[in-house]
Amino acid sequence: MTDTVNNTADTAKTFASDAQARATQMFSDFNTRSKAAVERSTKLVEELNEFNKGNIEALVESGRVAAKAAETLGQQAAETARKNFEQTTAALKSFASAKTPTEFFQLQSEYARTAFDQLIAETSKNSETMLKLAGDVFQPISNRFAVAAEKIKTAA
């Protein structure tokens, strides 16, 4: 009977030792997986912060380009207004010097044609400038979209 008790005690000790080894291994695996998950999460947060920093920099650059363009457009508008004022003043002086109604209407016609041609040219120039401006302002943001698409493509 002593052998049976000893065998039972040995079996119990072996079982307890195996259970302890399995539990230790299980907690070790859990700990390793947890550390790996934390490292991945930390890396993901760092990448997200870096990506957001790039987005903010793109918005700032876009705003800087827009502000510079608005300044340039304002200067162009002021220059155009100055030229138009000078041309209108000169036209009014020439109208006053007209000696006949026919000459007056000819001067007025020439002025109207010149003013219309300048209006068309200025409108065309402004349209081209605005299209270029829109492209320049959106370019930094477009670059960020490309970076985001590449990150999504890489992640998938």
Side-chain angles (χ1 to χ4, degrees):
M1 184 155 213
T2 315
D3 285 340
T4 304
V5 171
N6 285 340
N7 282 343
T8 303
D10 287 343
T11 302
K13 285 180 186 177
T14 302
F15 178 78
S17 178
D18 287 347
Q20 182 180 7
R22 282 191 224 125
T24 301
Q25 182 62 37
M26 182 180 77
F27 285 114
S28 175
D29 288 347
F30 178 76
N31 190 25
T32 302
R33 289 180 184 167
S34 295
K35 284 181 183 178
V38 167
E39 288 172 6
R40 283 192 306 268
S41 296
T42 302
K43 184 179 177 188
L44 182 62
V45 168
E46 288 172 358
E47 288 176 1
L48 185 61
N49 284 340
E50 187 64 29
F51 181 74
N52 285 335
K53 180 182 173 190
N55 290 346
I56 291 169
E57 289 171 353
L59 288 173
V60 168
E61 176 65 15
S62 181
R64 187 191 63 75
V65 170
K68 181 66 177 164
E71 178 184 347
T72 301
L73 288 173
Q75 290 170 348
Q76 288 176 350
E79 181 63 22
T80 300
R82 185 191 60 77
K83 285 180 184 177
N84 287 343
F85 177 77
E86 290 172 357
Q87 289 171 348
T88 301
T89 303
L92 290 175
K93 286 179 182 177
S94 72
F95 295 165
S97 69
K99 298 191 184 352
T100 65
T102 304
E103 185 182 355
F104 175 79
F105 286 118
Q106 285 176 342
L107 291 172
Q108 189 178 25
S109 249
E110 288 173 18
Y111 172 71
R113 186 176 345 131
T114 302
F116 181 75
D117 289 345
Q118 288 176 344
L119 173 68
I120 296 300
E122 195 65 32
T123 302
S124 176
K125 178 182 163 187
N126 286 341
S127 295
E128 289 174 15
T129 301
M130 291 302 285
L131 285 174
K132 182 180 181 318
L133 168 65
D136 290 348
V137 167
F138 190 68
Q139 188 61 47
I141 297 169
S142 177
N143 292 344
R144 294 307 298 167
F145 277 115
V147 168
E150 186 62 33
K151 285 192 177 291
I152 290 170
K153 183 179 174 184
T154 302

